[in-house]
Amino acid sequence: MNVTTPPKKLTDKDFASDQEIRWCPGCGDYGVLKALQRTLPEMGIPREKLVFVSGIGCSSRFPYYMNTYGFHTIHGRAPAIATGIKLANRDLDVWVISGDGDGLSIGGNHLLHVLRRNVDLNILLFNNEIYGLTKGQASPTSRPGTRSPSTPGGSIDYPVSAARFALGAGAHFVARSVDTLQPHLMEMFRRAHAHRGTSFVEIFQNCLVYNDGVFAHFTDREVADETQLRVRHGEPLLFGAAQDKGLRLKPGTLELEVVKVGEGGVGKADVMVHDETSPVLAMMLASLTPPAFPVALGVLYCHPGACYEDALAAQAGPKAADGPKANLNALLRRGATWTVQEGGRIADA
Amino acid sequence: MVSAIAAKAEVIAAPRREVESVVVRFAGDSGDGIQLTGSQFTMSTALVGNDLATFPDFPAEIRAPVGTTFGVSAFQINFGARRIMTPGDAPDLLIALNPAALKVNLDTVKPGGSVIIDTGTCTARNLRKAGFEGNPLEDGTLAPFKVTGIDISRHTEEALTSFGLSQKDMLRCKNMWALGLVYWMYGRSRQATIDWLNRKFAKRPEIAGANIAALNAGHAFGETAEMGGGLSGFTVGPATLDPGLYRTVSGSEALAWGLVAGAQLAGLKMVFSSYPITPASSILHALAPLREYGVTTFQAEDEIAAVCSAIGASYAGALGVTSSSGPGIALKTEAIGLAIGTELPLVVIDSQRAGPSTGMPTKTEQSDLHQAVFGRNADSPVAVIAARSPSDCFEVAIEAVRLATKYMTPVILLTDGFVANAAEPWRIPDVDTLPRMAVSFATETEDFRPTRRDPVTQAREWVLPGTPGMEHRIGGLERDFDTGNISYDPANHQKMTNLRIGKIAGIARDIPAQGVEAGNPRGRLAVVGWGSTYGPISRAVDNLREVGLDVSHIHLRHIWPLPANLGDLLAGFEHVLVPEMNAGQLITLLRSRYLIDAEGLNKVSGQPFKISEIEATVRARLEA
C-alpha cells in the first residue's frame, strides 16, 4: 500500500534564503519582499518551480533573498532573459524584478516588447524615482526639477509614467501598489499571479537615502485616505475617509472630475464604476496625479488574451517541439540529390 | 569585336569542346533574378556530377534604381571535372543582362574570356546611366574579350507572345532565357529547373509556363544559332568525388542543420534567438520551419534581447543559440560576459561582414576574430571556432554545441558572408552514425552547491530550474568558488579568474592536434589560414606544390584555444604566411602566442582572395 505524505504547508520563512539582506535599513524593498514571501505559500507553487529574474539596481538584488531559483542578470535585460526561460520551459513560474531605471531606461525596449508579446510573467517594477545603487542620479520617473548629483540644476526632462507606458505597450494586466501597504500588495500579487500573460505591477517604493518621502504626499497615513483611490472592478470609484468623494466623467468632455457625493445633486449612482477591462478608463486612472486628483491604486487594467508561449505551442500543434521527434536524416535528403558511385559514376537519386 | 546573331539559323550540330573547369558569372539588375538564376544553374551543374563552388555577390539595396551600377547583382560559379576549391579567380564567361552589369563586372573577366550582353538593354540612356561614355559595343572597350551581343529582351518577348503578359512581366522572364542558353552551352538538362518552376509557381501556372517557355527558347536559340565569339557548346565531365549521396548546400543551410544535429546529439531542445541582420538572417530563415526537429526560433526585439533570451533558454535547460554579424555581436557583448560569469552554455554565430560600423553588409570579411577572442570587458575567455566552407559549417556547428555544453561556456562560431551565401556539393552525412554527446543535468541533491564542477573539464554542473532541492541563485556578480554566494573576496576573484581562463585553455586537450592540409609537416613555408580562405589557399598551395615548391597548408578550425601542438608545428617552417581578409588579426595572435616572425597577406576589399594573389605572395617569399 502506498502511503502518501501530504506536502508540507510552506510558510513565508520557507521562501527566505540564507543570505543576509543588504538593502539599507528602512528601505521600502523590505516590505515588498515580505509581502511576496507571505503571499507565495497561499499560491501553492512548489519552490522549485519559481524563478526570480532581475536586472541591475537595488531591487534587482531581490532574487538572492528568495529561497527559489533565481537569476540576477544584467542591466535592463531581465524581461529578455525571462522570455528565454519561458521559451525553454513554460511550466516555470517566472517573476521579473525591476526598477524605474532598469525597466524604463536601459531596459525600456525589452519591457515594451515583453508586454506586447504577453509572455506569461509577473513583472514587479519598484519605482522610487531615483537611481539608488549608483548613488542618487535622477531616473526616467523623476519629476521635473529633481536635484541630484547628475542634475544639480534640477532635472529638465519629462518623466515617464510606468503604468501609462505599460498600457501603451499593450499590457494585458496593469496594477499599482505601495511598498508600505502589505495587504494591498499581497492582493496585487495574487491577482498578478492569477493572470495568465504578462502581469505588470508598479510599486511606489520609498528610497530612504536618496529620495526619501517622494511619495509622502499620497502615502503618509495622514493624507492617504484623501489622496489614494483604491480601484476595484465593478465598484464605484470612491475615495476619502468617508468614501464620499468620487470620480465621474466631466459632462461634455473626455476628462475625469472629482465630485462630492451628496453635494450639488451628485448621488452615488453618478460616480463612475471601475471596469478593469476598459483600456480607456485604465489610461485615465493611470494619469491621475495629486493634488487635483488622487493616485489610483489597484488593478487598473486586466483584459486577458492569449499568452506568447500558448500561441507558440498552438502554432507548433501536435508536432510541438517538446523533444526532437522528426528525422533529421530525412530533412537533409529532401530536394535534389545525386549519388556518386565507386569510380565516380553519377546516378540520380 | 561584336558578332550580331540572327535569330533564325539552321540547326548546327557543332561538336562540343571538352574543358576541365569553367567559371561563369551571371550579372544583371537586382530585380533581374540573378541569384535565382545562379542557384538553378548550381543545382543542374551539381546533378551532372561536377564539383563546384559559388559566390553570390549582391548589393545591400533590395531594388536599387533600375540600370544603375550600385543595383548590380552577380552570381559566380566555378565548376569542373576536378576538385573545385573556389568560385574562381576570373570568369571565362560573363552574362551581362544590362550595361550596368557589364560596367561593374567587365574587369573581373579573364582576358580573352567571353561576354554575352543583352543588346536590347544597350540604349543610349542605359549606357549613360551605367557610366559608359560611348557605346562599348562599338568603341573598342570590349576588344580584349570575345563578345556576343544578343537581344535577349526581344527574344524573350517573342517567345512569350501567346501568354498575354505585360511587357514588364515578360521581361521578368529574361533571366530564364539566359539560363536556357547557358544550359545549352554546357549541355545541362532543363528538367530540374522546369520542376522547380512548376513547384514555385504552382498557384500561378501562367507564370510558370512563361518562365519555362523562356528557358526553352534560350536553349533552342543555342541549338539553332551559330554563335560567334567562341560560344559553342562545351562538355565538362563529372569530377571524382568520394562515393556517397550528395546535395548542394549553402553555408547557412549547413550551419542551421548542424545546429539541429548538435542539439539532437546532445539530447536538447534548441532555442534560436536572433534579430534580422545581413548576412546572418538566412540561418534564422532556415531554422524557423523546423519546429518538429526540436527547434524554437525567436525573433527578438534587438540583438541584446536575442542573446539574453538564448541565455535564459540555456539557463532553463535548452540549447540557447544566437546569431548575428559583427555589429550585432558588439551589442551582445555584455550578455556574453554574463554567460561566462554564470557558466551557461551558449552558441554565438558571427557571420562576419566588412566593417567597421555598418560597413558593407553584403560584402565578406574576416575582421571579427579579435572581437570574438578578446572583445569583452575584463578577462573573459570563450571558445572560438571557425568554419572554412559551406559544408564545413555542419561539422563546426556540431563542434560548437559539443564545446558549449561540455564546458558550460559561450562558444563563438565565426563564419562570413562568403561562406554563408556560397554553395557547394555536400556528401550528406548519416546523422545516426555521428557520436552522441548526451548532456546530463545535475540531480544529486546531497551537498548541492551551484558551483559543483566536473573535476576534468572544470565545467559547472547544469542545474535545471524545476529540480526539487536544488534551488539556488546565480548572477553576474562574482561568486564564491565554494558556495556560489556573492563574494568580493580578493583571493576568490583571483581564483575564479584563473578558473575561467583555465577552463577554456583546457579545451586544447580536447581537440585534435593540428595537422597540415597539404605538404610536409615541416619545411620552407607554411601558409596558415582560418575560415573561408580555405579554398584559395588550398588551391594555391596545390598548384605551387605541383611545380615543386616546398609549401604547406595549415588551416585552423579552433581559434581559441589554439591547438596544443600549433607552436611546435609552426616552428618547423622557415616562413609562416598568414593570409586573412582583415588587417592582420590571426597573425597578431600567432606572433604574441608563439613569438614567431609570421608575415601577413591582408585583403579587405569585400571580395575573397584570388588563388593567384596567394600564389604570387608565396613565390615572392620563397624567391626572396
Side-chain angles (χ1 to χ4, degrees):
Chain A
M1 203 178 103
N2 290 328
V3 179
T4 51
T5 328
K8 192 180 79 140
K9 182 96 176 110
L10 299 176
T11 69
D12 56 345
K13 293 200 175 49
D14 292 305
F15 287 93
S17 77
D18 61 355
Q19 294 296 293
E20 197 182 331
I21 301 177
R22 301 189 188 190
W23 287 317
C24 308
C27 175
D29 291 358
Y30 284 93
V32 185
L33 178 67
K34 196 74 208 155
L36 194 58
Q37 287 173 342
R38 288 170 65 193
T39 317
L40 287 172
E42 307 170 4
M43 296 178 183
I45 320 149
R47 279 193 302 129
E48 68 271 13
K49 294 278 188 200
L50 282 163
V51 184
F52 282 83
V53 185
S54 63
I56 294 293
C58 292
S59 60
S60 287
R61 296 295 180 94
F62 198 95
Y64 289 113
Y65 309 133
M66 296 296 296
N67 189 14
T68 62
Y69 284 91
F71 198 171
H72 177 219
T73 71
I74 45 179
H75 210 7
R77 318 304 172 200
I81 288 180
T83 299
I85 293 171
K86 292 297 275 190
L87 288 174
N89 183 357
R90 63 183 172 132
D91 295 335
L92 294 171
D93 201 299
V94 182
W95 296 66
V96 171
I97 310 295
S98 187
D100 42 317
D102 187 68
L104 292 166
S105 194
I106 194 167
N109 194 35
H110 308 306
L111 188 57
L112 159 68
H113 290 280
V114 79
L115 289 167
R116 81 172 168 88
R117 287 192 187 104
N118 202 28
V119 182
D120 186 23
L121 304 167
N122 306 301
I123 300 179
L124 310 185
L125 187 136
F126 294 43
N127 181 8
N128 56 14
E129 297 191 2
I130 206 81
Y131 282 88
L133 200 59
T134 51
K135 303 201 190 311
Q137 299 84 358
S139 92
T141 54
S142 296
R143 274 160 251 174
T146 300
R147 288 182 189 276
S148 80
S150 61
T151 53
S155 66
I156 54 174
D157 39 349
Y158 293 103
V160 62
S161 151
R164 293 190 342 155
F165 171 86
L167 290 165
H172 288 254
F173 180 98
V174 177
R176 276 209 301 221
S177 190
V178 179
D179 55 3
T180 49
L181 299 178
Q182 281 285 306
H184 190 260
L185 268 177
M186 291 172 67
E187 188 193 332
M188 291 307 106
F189 295 157
R190 271 181 228 116
R191 286 290 314 270
H193 187 257
H195 171 256
R196 189 163 177 82
T198 310
S199 307
F200 181 81
V201 184
E202 178 189 15
I203 301 163
F204 296 110
Q205 174 252 321
N206 191 43
C207 174
L208 199 73
V209 175
Y210 295 110
N211 216 10
D212 192 23
V214 74
F215 303 119
H217 60 290
F218 66 90
T219 58
D220 273 1
R221 193 161 298 179
E222 305 80 67
V223 298
D225 283 346
E226 301 303 317
T227 54
Q228 289 180 11
L229 169 69
R230 305 285 187 89
V231 304
R232 279 198 184 76
H233 184 61
E235 294 183 17
L237 295 167
L238 290 167
F239 65 104
Q243 290 287 288
D244 59 349
K245 291 180 189 163
L247 294 178
R248 71 167 184 190
L249 262 190
K250 194 173 177 179
T253 73
L254 254 182
E255 288 168 25
L256 294 173
E257 66 175 356
V258 175
V259 289
K260 190 140 192 202
V261 179
E263 278 182 15
V266 174
K268 216 166 182 178
D270 296 315
V271 174
M272 185 177 272
V273 170
H274 183 42
D275 174 6
E276 67 183 21
T277 67
S278 162
V280 176
L281 179 59
M283 192 58 100
M284 284 177 150
L285 291 171
S287 306
L288 301 178
T289 46
F293 291 97
V295 172
L297 303 176
V299 178
L300 306 185
Y301 186 60
C302 178
H303 196 183
C307 77
Y308 186 85
E309 312 88 289
D310 290 350
L312 186 71
Q315 205 178 49
K319 290 190 280 188
D322 254 351
K325 296 182 185 96
N327 185 331
L328 183 58
N329 266 336
L331 174 70
L332 301 185
R333 284 155 181 78
R334 201 180 286 168
T337 62
W338 69 98
T339 302
V340 175
Q341 293 165 338
E342 291 293 343
R345 216 155 52 76
I346 304 296
D348 273 1
Chain B
M1 271 297 292
V2 180
S3 43
I5 307 288
K8 64 180 172 72
E10 74 266 36
V11 176
I12 294 165
R16 287 182 174 270
R17 249 195 312 145
E18 180 137 356
V19 286
E20 197 187 27
S21 70
V22 184
V23 179
V24 175
R25 190 170 176 95
F26 298 90
D29 221 55
S30 312
D32 278 341
I34 292 297
Q35 301 306 320
L36 280 180
T37 309
S39 59
Q40 284 303 305
F41 188 76
T42 302
M43 184 176 68
S44 304
T45 297
L47 288 174
V48 298
N50 293 145
D51 196 10
L52 63 89
T54 70
F55 176 37
D57 188 10
F58 47 88
E61 292 75 14
I62 302 302
R63 292 273 164 90
V66 174
T68 55
T69 52
F70 50 88
V72 171
S73 177
F75 186 99
Q76 186 165 318
I77 175 169
N78 183 3
F79 56 99
R82 60 169 184 171
R83 283 310 308 271
I84 298 296
M85 307 307 296
T86 75
D89 282 7
D92 298 292
L93 170 65
L94 169 70
I95 299 101
L97 292 185
N98 71 0
L102 184 70
K103 179 81 180 173
V104 171
N105 290 287
L106 198 58
D107 284 351
T108 67
V109 181
K110 190 180 285 180
S114 301
V115 174
I116 296 176
I117 168 85
D118 177 8
T119 52
T121 60
C122 293
T123 60
R125 187 165 171 272
N126 284 347
L127 288 167
R128 229 179 13 257
K129 208 191 261 187
F132 286 112
E133 280 171 18
N135 185 344
L137 296 165
E138 290 158 5
D139 64 8
T141 305
L142 304 176
F145 309 103
K146 289 177 273 193
V147 179
T148 308
I150 307 173
D151 192 341
I152 296 175
S153 302
R154 184 171 58 83
H155 286 305
T156 304
E157 287 180 42
E158 283 172 5
L160 303 183
T161 43
S162 65
F163 283 85
L165 299 178
S166 67
Q167 190 195 28
K168 192 177 158 207
D169 280 346
M170 285 196 280
L171 286 178
R172 291 186 70 179
C173 297
K174 79 176 188 172
N175 61 330
M176 287 296 125
W177 195 97
L179 181 63
L181 175 61
V182 181
Y183 275 174
W184 172 79
M185 288 177 65
Y186 297 100
R188 298 281 177 265
S189 161
R190 281 158 284 163
Q191 197 54 48
T193 295
I194 290 170
D195 293 345
W196 175 81
L197 285 166
N198 279 325
R199 274 199 311 277
K200 182 173 169 66
F201 297 111
K203 288 185 184 140
R204 300 176 68 197
E206 75 288 0
I207 300 292
N211 275 286
I212 292 166
L215 182 77
N216 288 337
H219 192 269
F221 184 90
E223 274 182 344
T224 54
E226 164 89 49
M227 289 189 289
L231 292 188
S232 48
F234 297 89
T235 303
V236 183
T240 317
L241 299 172
D242 292 335
L245 182 68
Y246 282 78
R247 66 172 301 144
T248 59
V249 75
S250 73
S252 295
E253 286 168 333
L255 191 47
W257 295 336
L259 289 170
V260 176
Q264 290 196 355
L265 293 167
L268 296 171
K269 284 196 296 184
M270 187 204 312
V271 173
F272 181 94
S273 301
S274 176
Y275 182 77
I277 185 169
T278 301
S281 301
S282 47
I283 303 171
L284 171 62
H285 303 167
L287 285 168
L290 303 186
R291 285 272 182 79
E292 71 248 47
Y293 297 86
V295 179
T296 300
T297 53
F298 178 63
Q299 183 181 321
E301 59 269 26
D302 59 26
E303 297 283 0
I304 298 172
V307 64
C308 285
S309 52
I311 291 171
S314 280
Y315 171 71
L319 173 71
V321 184
T322 188
S323 163
S324 188
S325 187
I329 301 295
L331 285 164
K332 297 179 195 292
T333 297
E334 185 197 14
I336 295 172
L338 176 69
I340 294 168
T342 52
E343 301 181 68
L344 287 169
L346 175 70
V347 175
V348 180
I349 298 155
D350 180 355
S351 300
Q352 300 165 97
R353 67 190 212 189
S357 188
T358 308
M360 302 194 286
T362 58
K363 304 300 175 190
T364 196
E365 209 163 272
Q366 293 182 298
S367 44
D368 294 350
L369 184 142
H370 281 179
Q371 177 173 238
V373 176
F374 301 118
R376 284 165 297 283
N377 59 307
D379 291 305
S380 38
V382 298
V384 180
I385 59 178
R388 61 168 62 165
S389 68
S391 56
D392 190 47
C393 286
F394 186 79
E395 280 180 40
V396 172
I398 295 174
E399 175 69 353
V401 177
R402 183 184 78 91
L403 294 178
T405 53
K406 185 169 177 182
Y407 291 87
M408 295 292 281
T409 178
V411 175
I412 299 183
L413 192 170
L414 293 172
T415 168
D416 60 38
F418 172 60
V419 166
N421 292 319
E424 65 182 1
W426 180 43
R427 188 159 63 139
I428 308 169
D430 180 359
V431 179
D432 295 337
T433 64
L434 297 174
R436 297 199 66 80
M437 39 194 205
V439 162
S440 60
F441 299 108
T443 50
E444 180 54 61
T445 51
E446 186 83 14
D447 192 31
F448 170 72
R449 288 158 296 125
T451 48
R452 216 158 55 184
R453 300 179 179 282
D454 181 289
V456 177
T457 62
Q458 295 296 309
R460 188 174 79 85
E461 284 183 340
W462 198 350
V463 192
L464 293 194
T467 313
M470 291 195 169
E471 295 82 7
H472 68 278
R473 276 63 58 194
I474 60 171
L477 288 170
E478 184 65 287
R479 289 159 307 126
D480 183 79
F481 180 88
D482 293 312
T483 64
N485 291 328
I486 301 171
S487 169
Y488 285 76
D489 179 68
N492 180 70
H493 181 55
Q494 181 77 54
K495 190 173 182 179
M496 289 300 286
T497 301
N498 295 350
L499 169 88
R500 288 185 282 262
I501 293 170
K503 184 172 86 163
I504 298 302
I507 292 174
R509 292 190 295 271
D510 194 16
I511 60 178
Q514 183 64 46
V516 290
E517 298 295 321
N520 302 316
R522 47 194 309 119
R524 284 206 65 198
L525 187 147
V527 183
V528 182
W530 66 279
S532 74
T533 53
Y534 177 77
I537 295 176
S538 150
R539 174 62 69 192
V541 168
D542 282 354
N543 290 349
L544 294 165
R545 291 187 57 74
E546 269 175 33
V547 298
L549 294 179
D550 181 10
V551 188
S552 300
H553 176 195
I554 294 168
H555 213 80
L556 303 180
R557 169 179 285 181
H558 293 91
I559 307 291
W560 199 260
L562 290 160
N565 67 325
L566 183 61
D568 290 342
L569 183 63
L570 296 181
F573 292 91
E574 285 172 45
H575 298 276
V576 172
L577 178 71
V578 186
E580 295 179 85
M581 294 187 289
N582 60 43
Q585 301 199 6
L586 177 66
I587 193 174
T588 308
L589 211 59
L590 297 179
R591 289 175 70 107
S592 71
R593 184 103 177 127
Y594 304 118
L595 303 177
I596 57 168
D597 191 16
E599 293 176 77
L601 169 59
N602 304 97
K603 177 175 180 178
V604 283
S605 62
Q607 301 291 320
F609 274 108
K610 292 183 178 196
I611 296 164
S612 57
E613 292 167 339
I614 294 168
E615 282 185 29
T617 310
V618 171
R619 280 178 187 278
R621 290 299 169 281
L622 290 179
E623 284 156 18

